[in-house]
Amino acid sequence: MTESALVLRGLVKRFDRVTAVAGVDLDVPTGSFYGLLGPNGAGKTTTLSMAVGLLRPDAGKAWVLGHDVWSDPVVAKGLLGALPDSVRMFDRLTGGELLAYVGLLRGMETGVIETRTAELLDVLGLADAGRTLVVDYSAGMKKKIGLACALLHAPRLLVLDEPFEAVDPVSAALIRDILNRYVAGGGTVIFSSHVMEVVERLCSHVAILAGGEIRTVGTLEEVRQGRPLEDVFVSVVGGRVATGAELSWL
Amino acid sequence: MAVAEATATGQRVKTVHFVRLKLRLMRNGLRGQPWRIALFISGVVVGVGAAVGGFGLFTAAAVTGGRTGLVMTGFAGAGLTLSWLLMPLLFFGVDETIDPARFALLPVRRGVLLRGMLAAAGVGIPSLATAVALLGSVVGTAVRHGPVAGVALVGAVLALLTCVVGSRALTSAFASMLRSRRVRDLAAILLAVLASSIAPLQFAVSSLISHGDLDRAARIAGVLAWTPLGAPYVAAADAADGRWGTALVRLAIAAGSVGALLVWWFGTLESAMIGVAAGARSTNRSGPPVRAVVALFPALLRVLRPGRFSGLVAREWRYWWRDPRRRANLFSVTIAGAVLPAVLRVGPAAEHGGTPLPLAVAFSALMAALVLANQFGLDGTAYALHLLVGVPGRVELRARALGLVLLMVPIQVLVTVAVAVLTGAAAQLPAALGVVVAGVGLSAGASALASVLAPYPFPESTNPFAVSGGTGGLRGLLALAGSLSAAAVLAPLLLFAVLTDGPVAGVVVLLAGLVWGGAGLVIGTHVAGDILDRRGPEILAAVTPRR
């Protein structure tokens, strides 16, 4: 059995009376392309925030390549790159300045920062933005610069929250290509999404989260069992997909 | 048009073409427009009046000589320069008869263009009136001291250049800045700042007048005489009294500032020309590849070796300027820091020698770092990056404190020195500086503690003055408690500084202040850093705005 890149055990998070995450266990194998699926409010963002050390769990633990995120954060965070959703960046810097800042915080060498920054900005089509501040970027550009920040220090594990949201088709294809190459090179990716098509096309493994619990987990084939992923998702999550006699006035 | 004709006929373009162009444009502007002619004539009348009045004033000042003459010349000169600099910005806007962007496509060499623009800028009623008025000082000096008038002439030319070039540089820089979003954020704040600084200024001037205090006026004139505002005007008076060295230094100050203004103005002219050629996306032009790490560091911080700590400091500096909320905070602290000591010195207790200088500067020093009391709230969810990377708490807090200290201490020191000189308290200066350093350091330490103990969210709005309702105000009280405790720690040093005098005690306070402030900063960030390491995620949650 290969070592897991990310292990979650019994993660629980309650906000006031609402239980957002009710005991999540997950094993993300090294070299896998892992999709975390779930309807809105399923607890995807909460789970991933606890996994990367942004949100303290009420119970449970998280390990990155064997290092506890909460008791051994320095090593774990060095191996990890993350793109959190619904979190601002230091967006009053230009794209280049932001990447340089992240690189310096990560303790990288100036020369390495310069090379990688130039390359990332170029590949992601952000070099033309020049002196524009990130706050003035479009939503898709913000996603891309966020991804660049996560990639800059060449982490072994990427945790991405909704990386394809608000991204135009061309940029989405570019991000898919970058992530595919990253996994082919031995990296591990886990990302959340509610777009079946993307998950079906990219992922080797899938977990479906609903109501704060993992409902189904396994390789893509195990989960699908020959059916379209959307059908599986709907049957696992529940909820109606067709109308009956209502809305007849439409 | 003159310049276009000259280039079309292959004639060499000379400065005189720009002057002719300007005159012709002025004439054409008047043609067939009665109200414009009326306006022009009334402008001429006002100009002649100002020229005659100014001529009389400067002549009288030069003939009077001595201290009274110095005060008259210094104030009149500084007033003249200031009105050249500020009037167009505040009220009139600048005469754009000759728009540099029009020449972008003409084959005119850069040097010729710049000289031409300068000559054209000098053609006009205000410049002529100023020139006539300045002639007064030459005539007056010649009447009383004969050949020294040469110095007066050089001074007058430099003064005129300072006025013309300075007003040009300021307005064109301002105009090109207003095109960017950043400065539009700023404009609103700037207006508020101007409005809030007028009252204290009036107060100061009126108290000066009501005291009828020539001594104080002479001191202020003495300071003005060393700035580009007054230097070219008073050089002749120095030469007349035989202080040739001083006169030369003043002329050098004037010449240096004219040179600097020219460089600045020419720079903005060129960017104005490129701006039109490159179209609307000019602010986004990619230009030559900038090195990202170098770009992150503001010019003054490039001496630092790039690393985690210096990167944090550099980002903080960028943010004090680029984030509208931070900028508003910084401005109000800076203004309060400049006004408060001055008011305390010349205020109610002025009859008894005023508030002791160390006490007068203590309040603003203690307030200086209050802007850090909710530093994580200022960054909002962007702080998540530091959590993801795992920045150690002490490194984080010390870098943030150092960023602010590097900004505030020079400002506060400058204010303290200026207030000390202007209010005749130079003897108390070392002690006051010690109190300033100690106050800033202590309040930075206390603010670091407050920021990790009681962080609260600001709404994610672009309005720098927006505060969230509810608990925000209550938690602000904790920041106040923090600064009160900083004041309590500062009190012994302050007491010692006020009760003692003499140079030795002053130096003792200065050294003790360095230790006091440094210790406050180090201890405060040490304790707060530990808390930050333990409570990072909770602080992130606390500063996340509720949606």
Side-chain angles (χ1 to χ4, degrees):
Chain A
M1 179 190 148
T2 49
E3 191 196 2
S4 292
L6 179 69
V7 177
L8 308 180
R9 285 288 175 270
L11 284 180
V12 175
K13 186 71 194 177
R14 280 180 291 274
F15 295 111
D16 296 328
R17 298 265 178 79
V18 186
T19 304
V21 175
V24 164
D25 299 319
L26 204 64
D27 286 278
V28 178
T30 303
S32 64
F33 207 136
Y34 213 105
L36 185 60
L37 275 169
N40 296 326
K44 301 187 296 282
T45 296
T46 310
T47 304
L48 294 183
S49 296
M50 289 190 286
V52 298
L54 287 181
L55 183 67
R56 198 185 301 280
D58 292 332
K61 288 199 162 186
W63 289 268
V64 173
L65 292 156
H67 300 276
D68 191 319
V69 173
W70 290 95
S71 66
D72 184 14
V74 176
V75 182
K77 287 174 178 177
L79 295 167
L80 174 78
L83 170 65
D85 191 35
S86 74
V87 158
R88 265 172 49 194
M89 285 171 282
F90 280 101
D91 52 14
R92 300 236 166 209
L93 303 177
T94 68
E97 287 167 1
L98 179 61
L99 285 174
Y101 181 55
V102 173
L104 289 176
L105 285 187
R106 294 260 182 211
M108 293 164 60
E109 301 251 338
T110 311
V112 180
I113 297 175
E114 298 289 3
T115 328
R116 290 189 185 173
T117 296
E119 218 169 306
L120 278 168
L121 289 178
D122 196 36
V123 168
L124 288 167
L126 296 171
D128 293 340
R131 302 290 304 154
T132 310
L133 299 187
V134 173
V135 68
D136 293 333
Y137 277 14
S138 68
M141 290 165 80
K142 280 181 185 160
K143 275 277 185 248
K144 288 198 279 185
I145 194 75
L147 182 66
C149 289
L151 288 169
L152 187 70
H153 65 299
R156 302 312 310 138
L157 169 68
L158 267 184
V159 179
L160 312 173
D161 195 2
E162 301 284 1
F164 296 101
E165 190 144 286
V167 174
D168 65 80
V170 178
S171 301
L174 181 68
I175 293 177
R176 278 203 305 270
D177 182 58
I178 292 172
L179 294 181
N180 270 325
R181 275 182 53 180
Y182 173 75
V183 171
T188 310
V189 176
I190 174 168
F191 73 99
S192 69
S193 181
H194 48 240
V195 186
M196 300 304 134
E197 194 205 357
V198 173
V199 174
E200 210 159 17
R201 194 184 313 180
L202 281 178
C203 291
S204 59
H205 293 67
V206 176
I208 297 179
L209 189 70
E213 287 170 5
I214 300 278
R215 298 293 169 87
T216 308
V217 64
T219 63
L220 186 61
E221 293 314 314
E222 287 168 5
V223 170
R224 273 204 303 206
Q225 295 186 329
R227 292 188 294 164
L229 190 57
E230 188 171 333
D231 291 0
V232 179
F233 183 78
V234 170
S235 71
V236 166
V237 170
R240 64 196 300 176
V241 287
T243 51
E246 307 94 331
L247 307 186
S248 56
W249 42 266
L250 263 175
Chain B
M1 300 204 308
V3 178
E5 277 167 20
T7 54
T9 54
Q11 206 182 332
R12 278 197 56 202
V13 181
K14 293 202 204 84
T15 309
V16 64
H17 292 118
F18 285 85
V19 175
R20 290 219 316 256
L21 170 65
K22 169 92 174 232
L23 288 173
R24 190 180 303 181
L25 284 171
M26 279 167 73
R27 204 168 60 220
N28 290 355
L30 293 176
R31 192 184 291 165
Q33 304 258 14
W35 64 272
R36 280 198 179 183
I37 297 177
L39 213 62
F40 180 75
I41 292 175
S42 52
V44 171
V45 171
V46 171
V48 169
V52 171
F55 184 84
L57 182 65
F58 278 113
T59 314
V63 172
T64 310
R67 218 159 61 128
T68 319
L70 179 80
V71 169
M72 283 169 76
T73 323
F75 274 92
L80 182 65
T81 314
L82 270 182
S83 34
W84 264 92
L85 295 182
L86 295 182
M87 294 291 239
L89 279 184
L90 292 180
F91 305 111
F92 303 124
V94 75
D95 166 29
E96 278 292 348
T97 320
I98 298 189
D99 181 357
R102 304 270 173 215
F103 299 100
L105 295 176
L106 289 177
V108 183
R109 279 188 300 111
R110 180 172 166 275
V112 175
L113 178 65
L114 297 180
R115 271 200 304 281
M117 295 297 296
L118 179 60
V123 175
I125 300 171
S127 322
L128 284 177
T130 307
V132 171
L134 287 173
L135 215 57
S137 69
V138 181
V139 172
T141 314
V143 167
R144 190 154 171 209
H145 303 286
V148 180
V151 178
L153 183 63
V154 176
V157 170
L158 286 174
L160 184 63
L161 280 174
T162 308
C163 290
V164 173
V165 180
S167 94
R168 278 304 164 128
L170 218 60
T171 43
S172 71
F174 202 68
S176 64
M177 278 184 341
L178 270 180
R179 286 187 211 120
S180 78
R181 176 190 50 70
R182 286 187 238 165
V183 185
R184 266 182 275 118
D185 289 353
L186 176 67
I189 299 170
L190 209 66
L191 285 178
V193 168
L194 273 179
S196 67
S197 56
I198 282 173
L201 212 67
Q202 266 177 346
F203 176 76
V205 170
S206 70
S207 89
L208 203 67
I209 291 171
S210 68
H211 286 82
D213 190 347
L214 187 63
D215 275 346
R216 195 169 291 172
R219 265 204 303 277
I220 296 178
V223 172
L224 284 175
W226 287 108
T227 66
L229 293 180
Y233 301 93
V234 296
D238 284 316
D241 291 351
R243 295 189 300 272
W244 286 93
T246 315
L248 276 181
V249 172
R250 293 207 208 278
L251 287 182
I253 290 176
S257 53
V258 168
L261 285 170
L262 277 175
V263 169
W264 186 27
W265 180 42
F266 290 169
T268 59
L269 273 187
E270 294 201 317
S271 66
M273 289 169 57
I274 298 165
V276 169
R281 280 179 56 82
S282 61
T283 50
N284 291 357
R285 67 180 186 276
S286 41
V290 246
R291 297 179 50 218
V293 175
V294 178
L296 175 67
F297 282 74
L300 284 174
L301 291 183
R302 299 220 168 114
V303 290
L304 299 178
R305 211 175 60 79
R308 186 168 60 182
F309 188 82
S310 57
L312 273 160
V313 176
R315 202 266 311 152
E316 280 285 302
W317 264 44
R318 289 263 181 243
Y319 258 60
W320 283 116
W321 183 245
R322 285 188 190 168
D323 184 21
R325 195 191 307 276
R326 286 197 187 213
R327 197 162 46 198
N329 283 349
L330 192 67
F331 273 124
S332 37
V333 169
T334 309
I335 290 168
V339 170
L340 210 58
V343 169
L344 284 174
R345 284 291 295 160
V346 299
E351 305 303 318
H352 317 290
T355 320
L357 185 65
L359 189 60
V361 297
F363 298 103
S364 48
L366 282 170
M367 277 168 51
L370 265 190
V371 288
L372 286 180
N374 191 24
Q375 49 189 331
F376 295 99
L378 289 173
D379 289 345
T381 50
Y383 171 62
L385 174 68
H386 294 185
L387 264 185
L388 279 175
V389 172
V391 181
R394 282 175 202 157
V395 172
E396 161 124 36
L397 289 168
R398 280 176 191 163
R400 285 168 179 264
L402 184 70
L404 188 76
V405 164
L406 285 180
L407 271 178
M408 290 310 297
V409 165
I411 297 175
Q412 298 247 336
V413 166
L414 217 65
V415 168
T416 308
V417 171
V419 171
V421 172
L422 293 180
T423 62
Q428 302 173 27
L429 191 55
L433 289 178
V435 169
V436 163
V437 173
V440 173
L442 286 172
S443 77
S447 297
L449 270 171
S451 72
V452 294
L453 288 176
Y456 57 95
F458 285 117
E460 281 184 357
S461 121
T462 49
N463 179 0
F465 300 107
V467 221
S468 57
T471 58
L474 266 177
R475 293 179 191 222
L477 280 180
L478 197 119
L480 194 65
S483 71
L484 282 181
S485 52
V489 181
L490 180 65
L493 182 75
L494 191 55
L495 206 63
F496 182 77
V498 171
L499 292 181
T500 57
D501 50 9
V504 179
V507 173
V508 168
V509 175
L510 180 56
L511 293 179
L514 286 170
V515 175
W516 228 264
L521 188 64
V522 169
I523 295 172
T525 50
H526 185 92
V527 176
D530 269 358
I531 301 175
L532 180 58
D533 283 337
R534 275 182 279 122
R535 279 174 40 90
E538 283 70 27
I539 287 169
L540 176 63
V543 298
T544 306
R546 301 274 165 273
R547 278 166 236 266

